[in-house]
Amino acid sequence: MRGRTTRLTAPWLVTLVGTLLFWLLTAPTAAASCGSITYEGAPAPATAEPPDGPELPSHVCVSTLPNTASIAAAAAALAAATAHGIRLYRSGATTGPAGPDTERVIRALALQGHAPQRHLLPDTAALKARKGRPVYKDGSPKLKPSGHVRTMNHVDPACDRGTCTKEVLPNKSTLSDHFCGDYATKFRDPADFVRAEAHLREKALRGSPDLVEASIEEIFGPGDHTARFEGYYVDPANPKDADGSINLLPVDFRGGHISAIYKQAPDGIWLLTMHPSPQDERHP
């Protein structure tokens, strides 16, 4: 019975496939004036706003491929674009409808100020070196009114050599001595950095760009987000270990906030710095 069914259906299948191939092969091709698909190159680096992604290709001619093939191709392209957009959104990399990639936004922000250089890109060793060395007087560490240890010789992570105690600007020139506050902190994930900056930029555009703040939970939702950040401060009870190394304690970011400072530029606002901080008076 199975062999008889195969013999009956095979000619119909061959005929159907042959007809479809003949239809596709004999259909007129797309007009030659369409040319090749090109994409817009990378934007100039010193833009105030994170640059947009590449422009989608466009044709001025009308393709004469069969409607069925066109619809199938369009459906496949739409599905791929939708899946890519969902991945960007879930990673927090999108900053607008076009969804520019995270790396491109980071490069643009690094040209506006020093936020990525000091609060995203440094590794753990560079982050700890930024705290510098404790200041002592009469054998005891000097403390600030906040209870934190006064430090000096802060190493700027923006320095290519990793040994600069001078302030390093985006153009690599240096100024006076570099300063680090009570905490040396950073984002662990570039996508989190971009997501936080986009949130604070919107707030800055609605108000004053000088200092913009938001709680960590306002940006990332309820819960403990300590794993998204890394930070250290000098232990006031024991600033130095026996071997002379600096005794640094990890920052607890629960209930903390993120601060950003912008400046007005001719073409918008530029990010000068952005960093996560713990809840006030949580440490030491």
Side-chain angles (χ1 to χ4, degrees), residues 128 131-134 151 234-235 238-241 243-248:
K128 291 181 175 181
K131 274 304 301 167
R133 303 190 63 80
T151 56
V234 179
D235 182 2
N238 182 30
K240 285 186 180 181
D241 290 327
D243 60 359
S245 60
I246 312 304
N247 188 22
L248 296 169

Side-chain angles (χ1 to χ4, degrees), residues 22-253:
F22 179 81
W23 177 49
L24 290 172
L25 291 173
T26 57
T29 58
S33 60
C34 287
S36 59
I37 297 176
T38 58
Y39 292 87
E40 181 183 347
T47 55
E49 297 288 345
D52 294 333
E55 284 187 350
L56 293 175
S58 61
H59 291 276
V60 296
C61 59
V62 178
S63 173
T64 54
L65 285 174
N67 289 338
T68 302
S70 299
I71 292 173
L78 180 60
T82 301
H84 181 64
I86 291 174
R87 286 195 300 271
L88 284 176
Y89 177 79
R90 288 178 176 173
S91 69
T94 180
T95 61
D101 66 278
T102 299
E103 183 180 352
R104 181 177 298 180
V105 176
I106 296 300
R107 288 199 304 266
L109 294 176
L111 293 169
Q112 296 179 15
H114 60 249
Q117 295 93 313
R118 293 177 192 161
H119 301 288
L120 173 66
L121 303 178
D123 58 15
T124 297
L127 192 64
K128 291 181 175 181
R130 188 168 184 233
K131 274 304 301 167
R133 303 190 63 80
V135 177
Y136 281 80
K137 183 179 181 180
D138 299 329
S140 299
K142 295 185 65 175
L143 301 181
K144 301 179 182 180
S146 63
H148 284 277
V149 179
R150 293 189 182 276
T151 56
M152 59 185 298
N153 297 329
H154 307 124
V155 177
D156 190 348
C159 177
D160 292 336
R161 299 187 301 276
T163 57
C164 299
T165 57
K166 297 292 183 180
E167 193 84 0
V168 181
L169 301 180
N171 63 4
K172 303 303 181 183
S173 63
T174 57
L175 292 175
S176 58
D177 290 346
H178 179 58
F179 171 77
C180 179
D182 294 336
Y183 309 99
T185 64
K186 60 168 283 187
F187 291 77
R188 294 183 185 272
D189 193 323
D192 286 345
F193 185 94
V194 171
R195 181 174 172 182
E197 196 280 327
H199 183 93
L200 294 174
R201 180 175 291 266
E202 289 183 2
K203 295 188 70 169
L205 292 172
R206 296 195 302 266
S208 172
D210 296 336
L211 175 61
V212 188
E213 292 185 328
S215 69
I216 292 174
E217 291 192 352
E218 177 184 331
I219 297 174
F220 296 105
D224 180 7
H225 297 283
T226 295
R228 297 179 185 270
F229 313 104
E230 183 179 1
Y232 302 95
Y233 67 98
V234 179
D235 182 2
N238 182 30
K240 285 186 180 181
D241 290 327
D243 60 359
S245 60
I246 312 304
N247 188 22
L248 296 169
L249 300 178
V251 172
D252 183 349
F253 289 96

